Amino acid sequence: MNSCARRRQRPGRVGHGALCLGLVLAVAGCASGGSGRGPDSRPARADAPATAPATRAPGPSARLPIARYSLTAEESALLSKAERRAMAECMSRYGLPYDTVAESPAGSSDRRYGLLDKTEAKNHGYHPPKASDLGLNRPSDEAWQVITGGVGTYNGREVPSGGCVAEAGRALRGDAEPPAAAKTAQEISAGAFEESRSVPEVRNVVADWSACMKAKEYTYASPLDPADDFTGRPGATPQEVSTAVADVACKEETKLVDTWLSAEAGIQQTRLAAHGDALAVLEERHRQQVDAARTILARAGE
């Protein structure tokens, strides 16, 4: 197997507002003719409540210092639930269904340092779980138009600018633009990650991981590379699954995540020391969004 030469920057988890998560969960793709499926990414809706996923241990991104300025997993779930409720309320004005779920189905795990989850590796290789794997359906084509604002009116009623998804987003975040601090946090996250790749301890553990993979007959220079070999394929092949399983095993054997996380955390701490006051606005922003989510759910009796 040829090693991939491509490198890429791993995004941090900070700076994402409520609408970002809700858009992914609520409008990942549209159906064709009301029964087909669009590109599989995340679920659009469920015909019945989904089973709550097993609790997943926090990924490396959640354990980094910059995570203080991001929504927690619990807050993200709350905002997502409130946004789906606001979407359902909007859609009901047009006599269109929009099914909500009590819990968001688990998507792919944190991949800041590449694939880390054994179960994902065995079941999906490097591909994220598909909506079809979760037993979820997409909205009908006409519902999609109201969701996204593809029509100006429906059933004689004006559709809000940007559709119901935009209305739901505004209910949570208001009309204000994301604060400049969000960009600062993203830059710190991305910059610290890139700098960490040159830290001797990280270079050494990556070399150990590469040697482990070589012993299993897979040739890769970096744990960020294997997924590139399988990008764009419709599903996981046996070769992809075996590569992914070996990849995760080698990360565990070499303690790659702990080593890389420690190095990156140190870099982040230094960068955050110069921006702590400016970033405090993000904590207030998130508090306002969480309060808005609780108001929406309380109004619905949830």
Side-chain angles (χ1 to χ4, degrees):
M1 182 179 297
N2 293 327
S3 174
C4 297
R6 292 184 294 279
R7 304 273 181 165
R8 58 194 178 281
Q9 192 176 59
R10 309 305 268 196
R13 67 187 281 271
V14 297
H16 297 292
L19 182 59
C20 177
L21 176 65
L23 277 169
V24 172
L25 285 168
V27 292
C30 76
S32 173
S35 60
R37 295 181 183 273
D40 279 307
S41 177
R42 296 292 178 95
R45 68 183 184 90
D47 287 333
T51 301
T55 301
R56 176 180 279 150
S61 294
R63 294 157 58 194
L64 286 164
I66 197 70
R68 172 184 174 184
Y69 303 102
S70 181
L71 293 165
T72 66
E74 292 76 14
E75 289 170 338
S76 292
L78 179 71
L79 266 60
S80 178
K81 182 178 180 180
E83 189 166 25
R84 292 194 303 274
R85 169 51 58 192
M87 287 270 289
E89 291 174 354
C90 177
M91 295 290 282
S92 70
R93 298 202 303 264
Y94 305 95
L96 292 169
Y98 185 83
D99 297 329
T100 59
V101 291
E103 299 285 346
S104 299
S108 59
S109 61
D110 184 354
R111 300 190 183 188
R112 191 174 187 88
Y113 308 130
L115 181 63
L116 305 177
D117 190 275
K118 290 179 182 178
T119 301
E120 284 183 32
K122 291 177 181 178
N123 294 338
H124 307 288
Y126 293 97
H127 285 68
K130 300 177 182 179
S132 57
D133 295 329
L134 299 167
L136 299 162
N137 298 319
R138 308 263 178 214
S140 69
D141 196 39
E142 66 176 356
W144 177 258
Q145 296 300 312
V146 177
I147 288 171
T148 61
V151 292
T153 61
Y154 185 85
N155 277 350
R157 299 186 64 126
E158 184 177 357
V159 174
S161 175
C164 284
V165 68
E167 179 178 287
R170 287 189 291 269
L172 285 166
R173 62 179 173 81
D175 292 319
E177 291 295 319
K183 181 179 179 182
T184 299
Q186 289 172 332
E187 290 172 346
I188 290 172
S189 180
F193 173 82
E194 198 59 32
E195 183 179 342
S196 71
R197 295 173 67 169
S198 299
V199 172
E201 291 83 359
V202 174
R203 293 171 65 92
N204 289 340
V205 79
V206 166
D208 291 343
W209 171 90
S210 182
C212 176
M213 289 292 282
K214 185 70 173 178
K216 299 178 187 289
E217 300 184 354
Y218 302 97
T219 304
Y220 290 101
S222 165
L224 307 183
D225 291 342
D228 287 341
D229 271 353
F230 307 101
T231 298
R233 299 187 184 185
T237 62
Q239 181 186 26
E240 177 179 346
V241 169
S242 63
T243 303
V245 169
D247 178 3
V248 173
C250 283
K251 287 189 178 85
E252 293 181 349
E253 289 176 29
T254 59
K255 301 188 184 305
L256 181 141
V257 173
D258 289 342
T259 301
W260 201 333
L261 182 69
S262 177
E264 188 177 2
I267 296 169
Q268 281 193 5
Q269 288 282 23
T270 299
R271 296 187 178 209
L272 285 171
H275 297 280
D277 291 341
L279 292 174
V281 67
L282 292 180
E283 295 179 287
E284 175 60 18
R285 172 89 168 196
H286 294 155
R287 185 193 65 76
Q288 293 171 352
Q289 291 175 336
V290 169
D291 287 346
R294 287 176 176 149
T295 297
I296 290 171
L297 292 173
R299 186 176 66 224
E302 297 184 27

